[in-house]
Amino acid sequence: MAIVLELLSRKNIPLKHYKFEQDYVCVGRDFNNDLRLDDPYVCPSHMLVAIDPESGLLMINDCQSTNGIKINNKFVTQATLNPNDVIKIGRTHLRIIDTKAPLPKAMPLSELEENLSWLNKALLTVCLSFLCLSYLLLSEYIDSVKEFKLVGVLPAQLGQLALISLWPLCFAVLAKVVKKESHIVNQVNLTLIITLLFFGLNLLQKVVIFNVNPGGWFAFVEFVIFAALVSAFIWLSLFIAFHQPTKRRNVIAFIMSFVILAPLFTLSFFNSSEFDSSPNYDATLLAPAYNFTKSIETEKFIDNSEALFTRADKLKSK
């Protein structure tokens, strides 16, 4: 029977495992130990883990150490070890591994993971960053009512691009915390692609409002598309960052999406009404570049305006 000890972080995250094909393991800071720990709070000869020849169980003995031994946060001098018991000596955490316990089945390899391998390209990051920055500068140029100066606008747009990069950096840090690959390039490229889709949705909104002037249904459709993009973005970010069961990923993605979208939905729809006696003035000016329809004659515009006021009077009387 082999003795397997797993070295853990202070949050009990597995770091490394040691397998010994012998009946006992001496643990301490001395180089003559079977398992040497570089921990100043561990004695040169701190503890002994051995297999009981009669029962076959693992036993632990304290070798008169200064700081003692904790098993599952309880001090012991001698005890029988069970599988998955966490041993703390000094500031070092160890876990006993039961080599006879069956392991869970391997997670199925998703074809989606293979299909997303193209995201791991630094050149793609440069191209997508250039496209995002170009869109931000072009939007600033089109919507500006003052003289456009690139030197004055560029720092603010670079700042927006830096803020966009915070999301992939957060997931990369989380992946590192749990000892997984950061996949930082994949996360950045995914974020930039979704950002470009949001930019496209915003551009479509301006064009449609300028040329068609749709009703309330357009806002609902726009929100549905926005919600779908947000949910897909969160799900893919989790997919790239962590290896986890699909069910758990779906639950986490749903919760995160709900937390983000629920307040937006409430503010957008529950606080709106068909008629408001004290409407808020919207000072948004749309540039002529968004206009694709023909202009109407002055007389027709006046007729339409009068019809609008007539409709407003009828709604007010109700």
Side-chain angles (χ1 to χ4, degrees):
M1 177 182 174
I3 299 176
V4 180
L5 298 175
E6 190 173 48
L7 180 64
L8 306 175
S9 69
R10 293 185 184 180
K11 294 183 178 180
N12 292 337
I13 298 174
L15 301 176
K16 189 176 181 181
H17 77 275
Y18 303 90
K19 184 177 181 180
F20 302 94
E21 298 289 348
Q22 56 195 56
D23 294 337
Y24 63 89
V25 176
C26 297
V27 182
R29 193 159 37 88
D30 193 277
F31 285 94
N32 293 321
N33 288 287
D34 299 304
L35 176 57
R36 180 184 179 273
L37 300 176
D38 188 14
D39 184 341
Y41 300 97
V42 171
C43 292
S45 295
H46 199 107
M47 71 176 184
L48 176 69
V49 179
I51 300 175
D52 190 320
E54 297 182 359
S55 62
L57 300 175
L58 280 177
M59 305 292 295
I60 189 170
N61 289 279
D62 188 349
C63 300
Q64 299 181 349
S65 62
T66 302
N67 295 311
I69 301 172
K70 278 186 177 181
I71 297 180
N72 301 329
N73 292 323
K74 294 182 179 180
F75 278 106
V76 298
T77 55
Q78 185 178 19
T80 301
L81 292 173
N82 297 312
N84 298 319
D85 277 347
V86 176
I87 307 168
K88 182 182 179 182
I89 56 174
R91 290 189 173 180
T92 302
H93 293 210
L94 298 168
R95 179 159 50 203
I96 298 296
I97 300 298
D98 185 5
T99 57
K100 296 181 180 179
L103 295 175
K105 293 182 179 180
M107 294 174 58
L109 183 62
S110 173
E111 292 185 7
L112 179 60
E113 189 169 2
E114 300 295 327
N115 294 333
L116 290 177
S117 59
W118 57 273
L119 284 174
N120 191 24
K121 297 183 185 297
L123 180 60
L124 181 62
T125 306
V126 175
C127 295
L128 292 173
S129 300
F130 177 77
L131 287 175
C132 286
L133 184 60
S134 299
Y135 177 87
L136 291 171
L137 292 173
L138 183 61
S139 297
E140 186 69 22
Y141 172 74
I142 293 176
D143 297 336
S144 178
V145 294
K146 301 179 181 179
E147 183 182 0
F148 180 81
K149 293 183 179 180
L150 181 61
V151 177
V153 173
L154 188 59
Q157 307 309 322
L158 288 174
Q160 288 192 45
L161 202 59
L163 286 175
I164 292 171
S165 302
L166 290 178
W167 177 274
L169 287 176
C170 289
F171 271 90
V173 170
L174 286 174
K176 280 295 184 182
V177 168
V178 297
K179 303 299 178 181
K180 304 294 182 182
E181 291 185 62
S182 63
H183 297 292
I184 182 64
V185 177
N186 302 57
Q187 292 284 4
V188 170
N189 286 335
L190 174 65
T191 303
L192 292 175
I193 290 173
I194 296 296
T195 301
L196 285 172
L197 290 175
F198 281 130
F199 286 163
L201 183 62
N202 182 53
L203 178 61
L204 178 63
Q205 178 198 36
K206 292 179 179 179
V207 171
V208 171
I209 290 176
F210 202 127
N211 294 272
V212 181
N213 190 22
W217 63 267
F218 180 74
F220 179 76
V221 172
E222 184 184 16
F223 183 84
V224 170
I225 297 174
F226 176 80
L229 284 176
V230 169
S231 301
F233 178 44
I234 294 174
W235 192 93
L236 287 172
S237 297
L238 292 169
F239 180 83
I240 293 173
F242 309 106
H243 299 290
Q244 53 188 332
T246 304
K247 183 178 179 180
R248 181 185 301 173
R249 186 186 306 115
N250 292 341
V251 171
I252 296 174
F254 174 79
I255 293 173
M256 292 179 67
S257 301
F258 181 81
V259 170
I260 294 172
L261 296 172
L264 296 177
F265 180 82
T266 303
L267 292 174
S268 300
F269 294 98
F270 290 167
N271 293 335
S272 62
S273 60
E274 245 182 76
F275 179 79
D276 189 353
S277 58
S278 302
N280 294 322
Y281 175 67
D282 187 358
T284 304
L285 294 176
L286 292 177
Y290 299 118
N291 184 27
F292 293 96
T293 57
K294 295 181 180 180
S295 58
I296 62 175
E297 298 178 354
T298 305
E299 293 78 5
K300 187 175 181 181
F301 176 79
I302 294 174
D303 293 339
N304 291 341
S305 300
E306 290 178 352
L308 182 63
F309 280 110
T310 302
R311 185 185 172 203
D313 290 336
K314 289 180 178 180
L315 290 174
K316 186 177 180 180
S317 62
K318 290 181 180 180

